[in-house]
Amino acid sequence: MSIRDHQIVKELAHYIHEHPAESTALMPLYDAVRDHARRGSCRHNDRCPLVTAGAVIVDELHRVLSLRHGGGYSLAELAPEPQDDSLSGAALRLLAEEAGIRDVWTEPGSEGPFLVDVTRAAPEYGPRIRVGFRYLFRAHSGAGFPTMIETGAAAWVPIAEIGIPSVRERLHGHLAGAA
């Protein structure tokens, strides 16, 4: 039985409870992952969703840390690896490896996924969908490696410039509720 499958079931159940309006879109994923957890393997001919974990890091000025990707900046995400014991742990590992950030925190009650977004997976994954579990972390703007910012490998981007509408809208709603 995969810890990852059980973690996904747990995180999805929590997220669906917190965001019931999104349950219709997420129930097929929930059912597939529950099936994986019960059986201990995939019997869906490798057409199961590609699950990723990502971190949305907001600083004290309400800017989001983004990493250089191609010609612009994007929010970092990755597929969990065998050593990851949770999706949020995978997101924290990504923060440490890619941006050098270890000094982050979550707001009380915000430990679960901040957003679960569903898109098509990259073409190399075939007809699969990608399900991104995004976790919200807070950090001071000086928390990363200064050289990451100086060299342009990372940048603090205003929320209005985030290219993923669902992340931008959720952040606006979350930060307005926290004010």
Side-chain angles (χ1 to χ4, degrees):
M1 211 173 286
S2 171
I3 292 172
R4 197 172 109 210
D5 288 340
H6 283 289
Q7 182 68 25
I8 294 167
V9 169
K10 176 184 165 194
E11 295 291 346
L12 269 175
H14 173 77
Y15 185 82
I16 290 169
H17 176 76
E18 294 290 320
H19 305 278
E22 298 176 39
S23 65
T24 302
L26 295 174
M27 284 313 288
L29 172 66
Y30 181 81
D31 292 340
V33 175
R34 264 194 22 199
D35 186 49
H36 284 194
R38 271 195 308 248
R39 296 175 189 258
S41 65
C42 174
R43 296 202 176 138
H44 302 109
N45 298 323
D46 294 322
R47 293 179 57 100
C48 291
L50 173 66
V51 174
T52 64
V56 177
I57 309 144
V58 179
D59 74 359
E60 67 277 9
L61 301 174
H62 291 186
R63 298 176 301 176
V64 177
L65 184 69
S66 299
L67 302 177
R68 171 73 64 194
H69 185 272
Y73 290 97
S74 65
L75 300 175
E77 69 178 11
L78 53 65
E81 295 180 0
Q83 76 265 23
D84 295 319
D85 62 352
S86 68
L87 292 167
S88 61
L92 286 170
R93 179 176 55 79
L94 176 65
L95 287 176
E97 290 175 0
E98 297 295 321
I101 293 182
R102 290 177 170 75
D103 190 17
V104 299
W105 66 92
T106 59
E107 295 170 357
S110 299
E111 294 84 11
F114 165 69
L115 177 69
V116 176
D117 58 339
V118 180
T119 61
R120 284 188 172 258
E124 62 265 23
Y125 294 106
R128 298 167 68 186
I129 61 170
R130 178 210 133 278
V131 180
F133 286 79
R134 298 187 188 272
Y135 294 85
L136 179 63
F137 297 100
R138 300 301 298 248
H140 294 291
S141 56
F145 289 142
T147 56
M148 296 284 293
I149 303 294
E150 292 166 5
T151 62
W156 288 103
V157 177
I159 292 172
E161 295 178 20
I162 298 298
I164 305 168
S166 59
V167 172
R168 191 174 52 241
E169 291 165 14
R170 185 65 52 91
L171 279 172
H172 278 302
H174 181 79
L175 294 174

PDB file of all heavy atoms in Angstrom, residues 12 14-15 24 31 33 60-61 64-65 72 84 91 93-94 100 102 104 109 112 127 129-130 135 149 157 164 171 173:
ATOM      1  N   LEU A  12      -7.235  15.003  -0.551  1.00  0.00           N
ATOM      2  CA  LEU A  12      -8.428  15.279  -1.353  1.00  0.00           C
ATOM      3  C   LEU A  12      -9.678  15.340  -0.488  1.00  0.00           C
ATOM      4  O   LEU A  12     -10.525  16.214  -0.681  1.00  0.00           O
ATOM      5  CB  LEU A  12      -8.607  14.211  -2.432  1.00  0.00           C
ATOM      6  CG  LEU A  12      -7.956  14.489  -3.760  1.00  0.00           C
ATOM      7  CD1 LEU A  12      -8.110  13.290  -4.687  1.00  0.00           C
ATOM      8  CD2 LEU A  12      -8.505  15.733  -4.406  1.00  0.00           C
ATOM      9  N   HIS A  14      -9.922  16.168   2.634  1.00  0.00           N
ATOM     10  CA  HIS A  14      -9.874  17.440   3.359  1.00  0.00           C
ATOM     11  C   HIS A  14     -10.240  18.597   2.429  1.00  0.00           C
ATOM     12  O   HIS A  14     -11.044  19.461   2.787  1.00  0.00           O
ATOM     13  CB  HIS A  14      -8.480  17.647   3.960  1.00  0.00           C
ATOM     14  CG  HIS A  14      -8.289  18.992   4.587  1.00  0.00           C
ATOM     15  ND1 HIS A  14      -8.799  19.306   5.823  1.00  0.00           N
ATOM     16  CD2 HIS A  14      -7.670  20.107   4.130  1.00  0.00           C
ATOM     17  CE1 HIS A  14      -8.498  20.561   6.105  1.00  0.00           C
ATOM     18  NE2 HIS A  14      -7.810  21.065   5.088  1.00  0.00           N
ATOM     19  N   TYR A  15      -9.647  18.619   1.252  1.00  0.00           N
ATOM     20  CA  TYR A  15      -9.885  19.713   0.317  1.00  0.00           C
ATOM     21  C   TYR A  15     -11.349  19.758  -0.134  1.00  0.00           C
ATOM     22  O   TYR A  15     -11.960  20.831  -0.170  1.00  0.00           O
ATOM     23  CB  TYR A  15      -8.959  19.578  -0.902  1.00  0.00           C
ATOM     24  CG  TYR A  15      -9.071  20.744  -1.840  1.00  0.00           C
ATOM     25  CD1 TYR A  15      -8.368  21.916  -1.590  1.00  0.00           C
ATOM     26  CD2 TYR A  15      -9.889  20.689  -2.957  1.00  0.00           C
ATOM     27  CE1 TYR A  15      -8.474  23.007  -2.430  1.00  0.00           C
ATOM     28  CE2 TYR A  15      -9.994  21.781  -3.807  1.00  0.00           C
ATOM     29  CZ  TYR A  15      -9.292  22.929  -3.546  1.00  0.00           C
ATOM     30  OH  TYR A  15      -9.406  24.004  -4.381  1.00  0.00           O
ATOM     31  N   THR A  24     -17.458  17.944  -7.617  1.00  0.00           N
ATOM     32  CA  THR A  24     -17.834  17.244  -8.849  1.00  0.00           C
ATOM     33  C   THR A  24     -16.624  17.024  -9.744  1.00  0.00           C
ATOM     34  O   THR A  24     -16.440  15.934 -10.291  1.00  0.00           O
ATOM     35  CB  THR A  24     -18.919  18.035  -9.609  1.00  0.00           C
ATOM     36  OG1 THR A  24     -20.044  18.194  -8.743  1.00  0.00           O
ATOM     37  CG2 THR A  24     -19.338  17.322 -10.869  1.00  0.00           C
ATOM     38  N   ASP A  31     -11.979   8.834  -6.482  1.00  0.00           N
ATOM     39  CA  ASP A  31     -12.338   7.420  -6.639  1.00  0.00           C
ATOM     40  C   ASP A  31     -11.164   6.598  -7.167  1.00  0.00           C
ATOM     41  O   ASP A  31     -10.911   5.488  -6.691  1.00  0.00           O
ATOM     42  CB  ASP A  31     -13.547   7.270  -7.569  1.00  0.00           C
ATOM     43  CG  ASP A  31     -14.828   7.812  -6.959  1.00  0.00           C
ATOM     44  OD1 ASP A  31     -14.884   7.960  -5.710  1.00  0.00           O
ATOM     45  OD2 ASP A  31     -15.762   8.102  -7.730  1.00  0.00           O
ATOM     46  N   VAL A  33      -7.895   7.241  -6.892  1.00  0.00           N
ATOM     47  CA  VAL A  33      -6.832   7.136  -5.896  1.00  0.00           C
ATOM     48  C   VAL A  33      -7.253   6.213  -4.754  1.00  0.00           C
ATOM     49  O   VAL A  33      -6.447   5.439  -4.244  1.00  0.00           O
ATOM     50  CB  VAL A  33      -6.417   8.531  -5.383  1.00  0.00           C
ATOM     51  CG1 VAL A  33      -5.401   8.425  -4.273  1.00  0.00           C
ATOM     52  CG2 VAL A  33      -5.848   9.347  -6.525  1.00  0.00           C
ATOM     53  N   GLU A  60       5.687  39.162   2.939  1.00  0.00           N
ATOM     54  CA  GLU A  60       4.973  40.163   3.736  1.00  0.00           C
ATOM     55  C   GLU A  60       4.385  41.294   2.884  1.00  0.00           C
ATOM     56  O   GLU A  60       3.512  42.023   3.335  1.00  0.00           O
ATOM     57  CB  GLU A  60       5.894  40.734   4.825  1.00  0.00           C
ATOM     58  CG  GLU A  60       7.061  41.555   4.313  1.00  0.00           C
ATOM     59  CD  GLU A  60       8.283  40.732   3.887  1.00  0.00           C
ATOM     60  OE1 GLU A  60       8.202  39.489   3.814  1.00  0.00           O
ATOM     61  OE2 GLU A  60       9.325  41.344   3.611  1.00  0.00           O
ATOM     62  N   LEU A  61       4.840  41.422   1.632  1.00  0.00           N
ATOM     63  CA  LEU A  61       4.315  42.440   0.723  1.00  0.00           C
ATOM     64  C   LEU A  61       3.272  41.865  -0.240  1.00  0.00           C
ATOM     65  O   LEU A  61       2.927  42.512  -1.227  1.00  0.00           O
ATOM     66  CB  LEU A  61       5.462  43.090  -0.063  1.00  0.00           C
ATOM     67  CG  LEU A  61       6.536  43.774   0.796  1.00  0.00           C
ATOM     68  CD1 LEU A  61       7.695  44.249  -0.072  1.00  0.00           C
ATOM     69  CD2 LEU A  61       5.936  44.910   1.591  1.00  0.00           C
ATOM     70  N   VAL A  64       4.459  36.779  -4.663  1.00  0.00           N
ATOM     71  CA  VAL A  64       4.606  35.325  -4.747  1.00  0.00           C
ATOM     72  C   VAL A  64       5.969  34.992  -5.334  1.00  0.00           C
ATOM     73  O   VAL A  64       6.362  35.552  -6.371  1.00  0.00           O
ATOM     74  CB  VAL A  64       3.482  34.723  -5.621  1.00  0.00           C
ATOM     75  CG1 VAL A  64       3.654  33.230  -5.773  1.00  0.00           C
ATOM     76  CG2 VAL A  64       2.118  35.053  -5.037  1.00  0.00           C
ATOM     77  N   LEU A  65       6.677  34.069  -4.692  1.00  0.00           N
ATOM     78  CA  LEU A  65       7.976  33.646  -5.204  1.00  0.00           C
ATOM     79  C   LEU A  65       7.762  32.768  -6.431  1.00  0.00           C
ATOM     80  O   LEU A  65       7.043  31.771  -6.379  1.00  0.00           O
ATOM     81  CB  LEU A  65       8.762  32.872  -4.143  1.00  0.00           C
ATOM     82  CG  LEU A  65      10.171  32.474  -4.579  1.00  0.00           C
ATOM     83  CD1 LEU A  65      11.064  33.713  -4.708  1.00  0.00           C
ATOM     84  CD2 LEU A  65      10.768  31.490  -3.600  1.00  0.00           C
ATOM     85  N   GLY A  72      10.056  33.144 -18.882  1.00  0.00           N
ATOM     86  CA  GLY A  72       9.356  33.883 -17.834  1.00  0.00           C
ATOM     87  C   GLY A  72       9.525  33.219 -16.483  1.00  0.00           C
ATOM     88  O   GLY A  72      10.497  32.520 -16.236  1.00  0.00           O
ATOM     89  N   ASP A  84       9.398  11.031  -0.469  1.00  0.00           N
ATOM     90  CA  ASP A  84       8.430  11.975   0.091  1.00  0.00           C
ATOM     91  C   ASP A  84       7.352  11.214   0.846  1.00  0.00           C
ATOM     92  O   ASP A  84       6.780  10.267   0.321  1.00  0.00           O
ATOM     93  CB  ASP A  84       7.784  12.811  -1.025  1.00  0.00           C
ATOM     94  CG  ASP A  84       8.784  13.703  -1.733  1.00  0.00           C
ATOM     95  OD1 ASP A  84       9.644  14.285  -1.047  1.00  0.00           O
ATOM     96  OD2 ASP A  84       8.700  13.807  -2.971  1.00  0.00           O
ATOM     97  N   ALA A  91       6.373  19.441  -1.523  1.00  0.00           N
ATOM     98  CA  ALA A  91       6.403  20.872  -1.825  1.00  0.00           C
ATOM     99  C   ALA A  91       7.501  21.571  -1.028  1.00  0.00           C
ATOM    100  O   ALA A  91       8.217  22.427  -1.561  1.00  0.00           O
ATOM    101  CB  ALA A  91       5.040  21.504  -1.543  1.00  0.00           C
ATOM    102  N   ARG A  93      10.270  20.140   0.084  1.00  0.00           N
ATOM    103  CA  ARG A  93      11.544  19.701  -0.492  1.00  0.00           C
ATOM    104  C   ARG A  93      11.863  20.529  -1.738  1.00  0.00           C
ATOM    105  O   ARG A  93      12.989  20.972  -1.952  1.00  0.00           O
ATOM    106  CB  ARG A  93      11.495  18.212  -0.837  1.00  0.00           C
ATOM    107  CG  ARG A  93      12.776  17.687  -1.458  1.00  0.00           C
ATOM    108  CD  ARG A  93      12.724  16.184  -1.690  1.00  0.00           C
ATOM    109  NE  ARG A  93      11.598  15.759  -2.486  1.00  0.00           N
ATOM    110  CZ  ARG A  93      11.526  15.850  -3.828  1.00  0.00           C
ATOM    111  NH1 ARG A  93      12.523  16.374  -4.498  1.00  0.00           N
ATOM    112  NH2 ARG A  93      10.467  15.414  -4.472  1.00  0.00           N
ATOM    113  N   LEU A  94      10.849  20.773  -2.543  1.00  0.00           N
ATOM    114  CA  LEU A  94      11.026  21.592  -3.738  1.00  0.00           C
ATOM    115  C   LEU A  94      11.499  22.995  -3.376  1.00  0.00           C
ATOM    116  O   LEU A  94      12.405  23.536  -4.009  1.00  0.00           O
ATOM    117  CB  LEU A  94       9.711  21.652  -4.519  1.00  0.00           C
ATOM    118  CG  LEU A  94       9.679  22.551  -5.748  1.00  0.00           C
ATOM    119  CD1 LEU A  94      10.628  22.027  -6.816  1.00  0.00           C
ATOM    120  CD2 LEU A  94       8.270  22.626  -6.286  1.00  0.00           C
ATOM    121  N   GLY A 100      16.152  27.349  -2.172  1.00  0.00           N
ATOM    122  CA  GLY A 100      16.942  27.482  -0.960  1.00  0.00           C
ATOM    123  C   GLY A 100      16.151  27.971   0.235  1.00  0.00           C
ATOM    124  O   GLY A 100      16.719  28.405   1.225  1.00  0.00           O
ATOM    125  N   ARG A 102      13.963  27.455   3.446  1.00  0.00           N
ATOM    126  CA  ARG A 102      13.606  26.477   4.473  1.00  0.00           C
ATOM    127  C   ARG A 102      12.794  27.122   5.590  1.00  0.00           C
ATOM    128  O   ARG A 102      12.114  26.463   6.329  1.00  0.00           O
ATOM    129  CB  ARG A 102      14.868  25.841   5.046  1.00  0.00           C
ATOM    130  CG  ARG A 102      15.560  24.921   4.080  1.00  0.00           C
ATOM    131  CD  ARG A 102      16.846  24.370   4.669  1.00  0.00           C
ATOM    132  NE  ARG A 102      17.414  23.316   3.864  1.00  0.00           N
ATOM    133  CZ  ARG A 102      18.055  23.495   2.722  1.00  0.00           C
ATOM    134  NH1 ARG A 102      18.211  24.705   2.232  1.00  0.00           N
ATOM    135  NH2 ARG A 102      18.557  22.475   2.058  1.00  0.00           N
ATOM    136  N   VAL A 104       9.912  28.742   6.254  1.00  0.00           N
ATOM    137  CA  VAL A 104       8.551  29.096   5.857  1.00  0.00           C
ATOM    138  C   VAL A 104       7.599  28.646   6.950  1.00  0.00           C
ATOM    139  O   VAL A 104       7.952  27.846   7.811  1.00  0.00           O
ATOM    140  CB  VAL A 104       8.151  28.442   4.512  1.00  0.00           C
ATOM    141  CG1 VAL A 104       9.063  28.898   3.387  1.00  0.00           C
ATOM    142  CG2 VAL A 104       8.131  26.936   4.613  1.00  0.00           C
ATOM    143  N   GLY A 109      -4.581  26.538  10.553  1.00  0.00           N
ATOM    144  CA  GLY A 109      -5.746  26.090   9.814  1.00  0.00           C
ATOM    145  C   GLY A 109      -5.519  25.993   8.315  1.00  0.00           C
ATOM    146  O   GLY A 109      -6.410  25.592   7.572  1.00  0.00           O
ATOM    147  N   GLY A 112      -3.560  22.155   4.974  1.00  0.00           N
ATOM    148  CA  GLY A 112      -3.964  21.326   3.845  1.00  0.00           C
ATOM    149  C   GLY A 112      -3.732  22.035   2.533  1.00  0.00           C
ATOM    150  O   GLY A 112      -3.197  23.144   2.481  1.00  0.00           O
ATOM    151  N   PRO A 127      -2.564  10.906 -22.803  1.00  0.00           N
ATOM    152  CA  PRO A 127      -3.879  11.525 -22.579  1.00  0.00           C
ATOM    153  C   PRO A 127      -4.240  11.733 -21.102  1.00  0.00           C
ATOM    154  O   PRO A 127      -5.402  11.882 -20.765  1.00  0.00           O
ATOM    155  CB  PRO A 127      -4.827  10.515 -23.231  1.00  0.00           C
ATOM    156  CG  PRO A 127      -4.145   9.202 -23.021  1.00  0.00           C
ATOM    157  CD  PRO A 127      -2.668   9.499 -23.162  1.00  0.00           C
ATOM    158  N   ILE A 129      -4.470  13.519 -17.305  1.00  0.00           N
ATOM    159  CA  ILE A 129      -4.647  14.854 -16.755  1.00  0.00           C
ATOM    160  C   ILE A 129      -3.607  15.062 -15.659  1.00  0.00           C
ATOM    161  O   ILE A 129      -3.046  14.105 -15.130  1.00  0.00           O
ATOM    162  CB  ILE A 129      -6.074  15.094 -16.200  1.00  0.00           C
ATOM    163  CG1 ILE A 129      -6.392  14.117 -15.066  1.00  0.00           C
ATOM    164  CG2 ILE A 129      -7.104  15.034 -17.312  1.00  0.00           C
ATOM    165  CD1 ILE A 129      -7.671  14.443 -14.316  1.00  0.00           C
ATOM    166  N   ARG A 130      -3.338  16.308 -15.348  1.00  0.00           N
ATOM    167  CA  ARG A 130      -2.411  16.675 -14.281  1.00  0.00           C
ATOM    168  C   ARG A 130      -3.231  17.282 -13.156  1.00  0.00           C
ATOM    169  O   ARG A 130      -4.068  18.150 -13.392  1.00  0.00           O
ATOM    170  CB  ARG A 130      -1.408  17.715 -14.809  1.00  0.00           C
ATOM    171  CG  ARG A 130      -0.421  18.197 -13.759  1.00  0.00           C
ATOM    172  CD  ARG A 130      -0.037  19.631 -14.112  1.00  0.00           C
ATOM    173  NE  ARG A 130      -0.081  20.508 -12.999  1.00  0.00           N
ATOM    174  CZ  ARG A 130      -1.137  21.130 -12.475  1.00  0.00           C
ATOM    175  NH1 ARG A 130      -2.319  20.956 -12.942  1.00  0.00           N
ATOM    176  NH2 ARG A 130      -1.033  21.934 -11.450  1.00  0.00           N
ATOM    177  N   TYR A 135       0.208  24.128  -2.018  1.00  0.00           N
ATOM    178  CA  TYR A 135       0.209  24.446  -0.593  1.00  0.00           C
ATOM    179  C   TYR A 135       0.671  25.885  -0.417  1.00  0.00           C
ATOM    180  O   TYR A 135       1.613  26.324  -1.065  1.00  0.00           O
ATOM    181  CB  TYR A 135       1.131  23.487   0.159  1.00  0.00           C
ATOM    182  CG  TYR A 135       0.597  22.080   0.120  1.00  0.00           C
ATOM    183  CD1 TYR A 135       0.875  21.247  -0.955  1.00  0.00           C
ATOM    184  CD2 TYR A 135      -0.242  21.617   1.117  1.00  0.00           C
ATOM    185  CE1 TYR A 135       0.352  19.971  -1.018  1.00  0.00           C
ATOM    186  CE2 TYR A 135      -0.773  20.337   1.062  1.00  0.00           C
ATOM    187  CZ  TYR A 135      -0.478  19.526  -0.009  1.00  0.00           C
ATOM    188  OH  TYR A 135      -1.014  18.277  -0.073  1.00  0.00           O
ATOM    189  N   ILE A 149      17.600  35.667  -6.492  1.00  0.00           N
ATOM    190  CA  ILE A 149      16.919  36.884  -6.921  1.00  0.00           C
ATOM    191  C   ILE A 149      17.856  37.730  -7.792  1.00  0.00           C
ATOM    192  O   ILE A 149      17.461  38.208  -8.860  1.00  0.00           O
ATOM    193  CB  ILE A 149      16.424  37.703  -5.706  1.00  0.00           C
ATOM    194  CG1 ILE A 149      15.501  36.860  -4.812  1.00  0.00           C
ATOM    195  CG2 ILE A 149      15.773  39.002  -6.139  1.00  0.00           C
ATOM    196  CD1 ILE A 149      14.194  36.445  -5.427  1.00  0.00           C
ATOM    197  N   VAL A 157       6.936  38.100  -7.370  1.00  0.00           N
ATOM    198  CA  VAL A 157       6.017  38.601  -8.395  1.00  0.00           C
ATOM    199  C   VAL A 157       4.722  39.062  -7.728  1.00  0.00           C
ATOM    200  O   VAL A 157       4.157  38.332  -6.902  1.00  0.00           O
ATOM    201  CB  VAL A 157       5.724  37.484  -9.425  1.00  0.00           C
ATOM    202  CG1 VAL A 157       4.712  37.936 -10.454  1.00  0.00           C
ATOM    203  CG2 VAL A 157       7.018  37.022 -10.087  1.00  0.00           C
ATOM    204  N   ILE A 164      -1.525  31.998 -13.544  1.00  0.00           N
ATOM    205  CA  ILE A 164      -2.523  30.945 -13.361  1.00  0.00           C
ATOM    206  C   ILE A 164      -3.731  31.572 -12.671  1.00  0.00           C
ATOM    207  O   ILE A 164      -3.687  31.878 -11.481  1.00  0.00           O
ATOM    208  CB  ILE A 164      -1.962  29.780 -12.517  1.00  0.00           C
ATOM    209  CG1 ILE A 164      -0.668  29.250 -13.136  1.00  0.00           C
ATOM    210  CG2 ILE A 164      -2.995  28.667 -12.381  1.00  0.00           C
ATOM    211  CD1 ILE A 164       0.102  28.311 -12.235  1.00  0.00           C
ATOM    212  N   LEU A 171      -5.619  33.346  -4.128  1.00  0.00           N
ATOM    213  CA  LEU A 171      -4.774  34.194  -3.288  1.00  0.00           C
ATOM    214  C   LEU A 171      -5.499  35.490  -2.928  1.00  0.00           C
ATOM    215  O   LEU A 171      -5.464  35.914  -1.772  1.00  0.00           O
ATOM    216  CB  LEU A 171      -3.460  34.519  -3.996  1.00  0.00           C
ATOM    217  CG  LEU A 171      -2.391  33.441  -3.920  1.00  0.00           C
ATOM    218  CD1 LEU A 171      -1.224  33.799  -4.828  1.00  0.00           C
ATOM    219  CD2 LEU A 171      -1.924  33.227  -2.503  1.00  0.00           C
ATOM    220  N   GLY A 173      -8.691  36.024  -2.694  1.00  0.00           N
ATOM    221  CA  GLY A 173      -9.723  35.696  -1.724  1.00  0.00           C
ATOM    222  C   GLY A 173      -9.157  35.370  -0.357  1.00  0.00           C
ATOM    223  O   GLY A 173      -9.669  35.815   0.668  1.00  0.00           O
TER     224      GLY A 173
END
